[in-house]
Amino acid sequence: MRTRMIWIVALVASAPFAFAWFALAARTVIRAPMDERSLEVSVDNVAAFGLIAGTECTPALTRCMVYDDSGGGATYAVTARNRSCWDARLIDSYSAEVVPPSELSGCVRLWQWSVL
């Protein structure tokens, strides 16, 4: 009976650590299928032109507009490498403050979250 109680306590005590490990793995390692919203979040995480920037992608997942803090932004042509990874090439820049990178690449993760 005592051994059983020790195992139960050990399992309950290790649950938060197991969840934290899974959350970090889902954020950095585990990939998910790409859809319009997940691609927008993934591109926004990679581009990050500012704190209040945003991203809008076409439903066909071929173009994304990344906005910056000044109200400008950049348009990228997106190419899917596989069901969750993508490459983007700069088509046009509308930004007055930031010089956007000419190429971006990344993958859609299972849990896409950030501190900010």
Side-chain angles (χ1 to χ4, degrees), residues 18-37:
F19 178 76
W21 177 85
F22 178 77
L24 290 174
R27 169 70 171 106
T28 58
V29 178
I30 303 172
R31 296 180 182 158
M34 192 178 341
D35 63 5
E36 184 178 354
R37 181 65 189 136

Side-chain angles (χ1 to χ4, degrees), residues 7-24:
W7 277 104
I8 291 172
V9 170
L11 287 173
V12 169
S14 65
F17 296 105
F19 178 76
W21 177 85
F22 178 77
L24 290 174

Side-chain angles (χ1 to χ4, degrees), residues 67-89:
Y67 299 100
D68 64 12
D69 291 339
S70 69
T75 303
Y76 287 91
V78 178
T79 306
R81 281 185 279 162
N82 54 38
R83 69 183 196 101
S84 60
C85 294
W86 53 269
D87 293 315
R89 181 181 42 83

Side-chain angles (χ1 to χ4, degrees), residues 99-115:
V99 177
S102 61
E103 293 182 352
L104 301 171
S105 65
C107 293
V108 173
R109 304 295 177 194
L110 182 61
W111 285 355
Q112 299 185 115
W113 50 270
S114 63
V115 175

